[in-house]
């Protein structure tokens, strides 16, 4: 999801992180330099003033993912809050590229905040499953990509979204159901030149034309007119997109095109990347089972993966660790706790004790294992209750509860 210069051709030898929709590589063990990324992408940092505005408008404390800076930058979030204050509608839009049967922990982050936003603002939500994208980029048949989309929808529904306010759609399916979707895709395609899309995404002469045309498909759900069953003939309702920062190029492109089409620009909330177990140099990969904790993993698999693969910021020996302390900035177990341990006081105590050397790496991993086993088990329990008919309901174009 995003738009701007392509970072595909960045020299990894330079002191520069590579961040685009398909590659994330950091030049540092602490991970991507997000302040530099904000400057490079031209977005705005989520500051205390914006968080205060959130709380003032919603009369609720902000979600811990916002408070801790895990969602760290935005585009036009102030405008969305002003709309809500004025009683004007907006909708949420996020998505998932279905490349594996199960989601991993990294995929949870945008969906967790999206759930909170839906509940807090009482707004409709559309979730795009880009099975066409995965068919074009991965070694998948159309049928396999469609099957993965359906199974991923089941995982997504298990986050607890309101069926009266949520529409989940696969591109392969919805393209044939809704002429307005394809019409908006064509409008975007006509407004973006081949040179522009090459500059934004780094496409080369050997890339298939499907890849070159795809960004318009991810852009189109930004517009309320793509969903006539939800919004009727309303074209002026903006959306808010919670997503990881690597999706921003799709929406920089969309924001550039929208005014020329007479449509509102999408607003965005950007999250940090969820690091791989082996360290924050790269993000998790669904294709490497040992880089990730999957939502289908057993308690034993979770325990073994963290104990075996989670990169430690502790000392090489117990003596060295007690003397010099641990480095929370690079320790993966601590970094995962930032995402999933909601208790601020407990997290701060762990940080202090680990940094001082009082808390050993083994105990830190044990804390994380217990939390993640609970998170995953609860998700699996909710998922078991979701049958095929429920998935089909969420994926059927229909009217939703909308305060227009």
């Amino acid at each position: 999801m995003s738009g701007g210069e392509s970072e595909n051709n960045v020299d990894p030898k330079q002191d520069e992180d590579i961040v685009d929709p398909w590659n994330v590589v950091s030049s540092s063990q602490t991970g991507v330099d997000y302040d530099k990324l904000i400057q490079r992408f031209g977005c705005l940092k989520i500051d205390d003033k914006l968080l205060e505005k959130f709380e003032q408008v919603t009369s609720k404390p902000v979600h811990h993912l916002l408070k801790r800076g895990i969602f760290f930058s935005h585009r036009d979030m102030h405008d969305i809050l002003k709309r809500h204050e004025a009683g004007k509608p907006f909708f949420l839009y996020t998505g998932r590229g279905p490349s594996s049967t199960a989601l991993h922990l990294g995929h949870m982050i945008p969906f967790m905040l999206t759930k909170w936003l839906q509940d807090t603002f009482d707004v409709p939500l559309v979730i795009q499953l880009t099975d066409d994208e995965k068919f074009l980029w991965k070694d998948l048949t159309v049928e396999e990509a469609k099957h993965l989309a359906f199974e991923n929808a089941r995982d997504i529904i298990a986050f607890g979204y309101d069926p009266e306010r949520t529409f989940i759609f696969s591109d392969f399916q919805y393209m044939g159901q809704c002429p307005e979707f394809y019409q908006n895709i064509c409008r975007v395609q006509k407004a973006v030149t081949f040179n522009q899309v090459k500059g934004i995404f780094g496409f080369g002469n050997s890339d298939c034309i499907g890849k070159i045309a795809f960004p318009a498909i991810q852009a189109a759900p930004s517009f309320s007119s793509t969903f006539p069953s939800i919004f009727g003939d309303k074209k002026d309702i903006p959306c808010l997109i919670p997503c990881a920062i690597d999706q921003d190029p799709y929406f920089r492109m969309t924001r550039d095109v929208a005014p020329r089409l007479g449509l509102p620009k999408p607003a965005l909330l950007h999250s940090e990347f969820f690091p791989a177990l082996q360290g924050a140099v790269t993000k998790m990969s669904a294709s490497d089972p040992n880089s990730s904790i999957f939502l289908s993993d057993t308690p034993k698999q979770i325990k073994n993966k963290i104990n075996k693969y989670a990169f430690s910021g502790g000392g090489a020996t117990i003596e060295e660790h007690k003397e010099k302390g641990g480095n929370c900035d690079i320790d993966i177990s601590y970094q995962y706790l930032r995402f999933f341990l909601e208790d601020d006081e407990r997290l701060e105590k762990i940080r202090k004790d680990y940094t001082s050397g009082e808390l050993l790496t083994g105990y830190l991993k044990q804390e994380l294992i217990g939390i993640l086993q609970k998170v995953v088990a609860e998700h699996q329990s909710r998922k078991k209750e979701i049958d095929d008919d429920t998935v089909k309901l969420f994926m059927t174009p229909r009217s939703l509860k909308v305060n227009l």
Side-chain angles (χ1 to χ4, degrees):
M1 305 172 160
S2 158
E5 298 102 33
S6 164
E7 307 304 331
N8 289 28
N9 300 319
V10 172
D11 184 348
K13 293 176 185 173
Q14 295 176 357
D15 185 21
E16 187 90 5
D17 300 322
I18 298 175
V19 177
D20 63 39
W22 306 282
N23 305 288
V24 177
V25 180
S26 172
S27 54
S28 165
Q29 270 198 322
T30 56
V32 170
D33 185 328
Y34 292 105
D35 287 333
K36 278 188 183 176
L37 209 55
I38 285 173
Q39 285 186 322
R40 207 160 91 205
F41 282 9
C43 38
L44 296 171
K45 192 176 180 71
I46 293 175
D47 56 15
D48 289 342
K49 189 177 176 184
L50 180 58
L51 296 180
E52 285 166 14
K53 188 66 177 173
F54 255 106
E55 296 194 339
Q56 178 194 327
V57 168
T58 64
S59 302
K60 287 184 179 181
V62 293
H63 195 278
H64 73 273
L65 293 175
L66 282 164
K67 183 168 50 177
R68 292 177 187 166
I70 289 166
F71 275 82
F72 67 96
S73 79
H74 74 99
R75 296 185 188 277
D76 292 349
M77 189 63 220
H78 284 286
D79 293 346
I80 292 292
L81 292 175
K82 279 180 193 170
R83 281 188 71 86
H84 185 69
E85 268 191 310
K88 294 180 180 176
F90 71 93
F91 70 100
L92 295 166
Y93 160 38
T94 193
R96 158 86 181 121
S99 57
S100 59
T101 51
L103 275 62
H104 60 53
L105 291 181
H107 299 135
M108 290 186 73
I109 306 311
F111 288 121
M112 284 164 61
L113 188 73
T114 300
K115 170 73 166 66
W116 180 81
L117 291 166
Q118 183 184 58
D119 293 345
T120 300
F121 291 97
D122 197 21
V123 289
L125 162 66
V126 296
I127 299 174
Q128 180 183 41
L129 300 173
T130 55
D131 42 9
D132 52 343
E133 177 200 16
K134 293 307 173 186
F135 166 71
L136 292 166
W137 263 268
K138 303 278 186 181
D139 184 22
L140 293 171
T141 65
V142 168
E143 292 71 27
E144 286 167 341
K146 286 170 66 178
H147 171 72
L148 291 177
F150 192 85
E151 289 308 311
N152 281 196
R154 198 188 308 274
D155 251 327
I156 291 165
I157 293 164
F159 284 92
Y161 296 113
D162 179 357
E164 295 188 333
R165 297 189 188 276
T166 307
F167 173 46
I168 303 174
F169 64 99
S170 97
D171 287 341
F172 277 139
Q173 182 179 337
Y174 192 51
M175 195 86 73
Q177 293 171 324
C178 180
E180 290 84 353
F181 183 28
Y182 185 56
Q183 288 161 23
N184 275 341
I185 289 166
C186 286
R187 289 185 179 105
V188 175
Q189 287 173 339
K190 191 173 182 178
V192 182
T193 68
F194 179 46
N195 272 342
Q196 285 173 317
V197 89
K198 277 202 302 183
I200 294 166
F201 299 100
F203 294 135
N205 292 336
S206 60
D207 281 310
C208 72
I209 60 173
K211 290 183 180 181
I212 294 154
F214 174 74
I217 298 172
Q218 189 154 313
S222 305
F223 309 128
S224 57
S225 54
T226 296
F227 305 101
S229 62
I230 302 172
F231 302 108
D233 59 359
K234 295 272 188 184
K235 297 181 180 179
D236 60 347
I237 302 173
C239 76
L240 171 62
I241 304 168
C243 63
I245 187 71
D246 60 339
Q247 297 298 301
D248 188 69
Y250 287 108
F251 301 115
R252 292 202 301 273
M253 181 195 81
T254 309
R255 286 167 58 83
D256 179 56
V257 166
R260 288 183 276 150
L261 302 180
L263 298 169
K265 294 180 179 183
L268 289 100
L269 288 169
H270 300 123
S271 75
E272 295 178 356
F273 302 114
F274 195 80
L277 282 166
Q278 288 81 356
V281 174
T282 60
K283 67 173 182 176
M284 276 189 168
S285 167
S287 57
D288 178 1
N290 293 324
S291 76
S292 318
I293 304 291
F294 284 86
L295 297 185
S296 56
D297 282 350
T298 64
K300 186 178 179 182
Q301 285 174 315
I302 293 169
K303 180 180 178 181
N304 290 344
K305 283 183 181 182
I306 291 168
N307 281 332
K308 188 172 181 180
Y309 297 110
F311 185 83
S312 169
T317 63
I318 291 176
E319 291 74 21
E320 183 187 324
H321 181 79
K322 286 186 172 178
E323 181 190 343
K324 297 181 180 176
N327 183 350
C328 287
D329 291 339
I330 64 171
D331 190 285
I332 288 300
S333 295
Y334 177 78
Q335 291 302 315
Y336 281 20
L337 287 174
R338 284 179 63 233
F339 288 85
F340 288 102
L341 176 56
E342 294 183 27
D343 185 331
D344 290 330
E345 289 183 14
R346 177 74 184 138
L347 184 67
E348 178 58 16
K349 178 163 174 36
I350 288 169
R351 188 193 67 76
K352 282 182 177 174
D353 290 351
Y354 194 64
T355 303
S356 71
E358 186 181 335
L359 181 68
L360 299 177
T361 300
Y363 289 106
L364 179 60
K365 287 188 173 186
Q366 196 175 325
E367 176 93 19
L368 176 66
I369 288 164
I371 288 168
L372 292 187
Q373 285 176 335
K374 184 172 185 285
V375 166
V376 172
E378 287 175 352
H379 184 88
Q380 289 172 356
S381 175
R382 292 191 300 269
K383 186 180 175 182
K384 273 183 190 171
E385 302 299 313
I386 297 159
D387 59 18
D388 286 0
D389 288 340
T390 303
V391 179
K392 287 171 185 171
L393 168 68
F394 272 89
M395 296 186 74
T396 299
R398 64 203 189 283
S399 62
L400 300 179
K401 274 191 181 176
V402 187
N403 301 316
L404 296 177

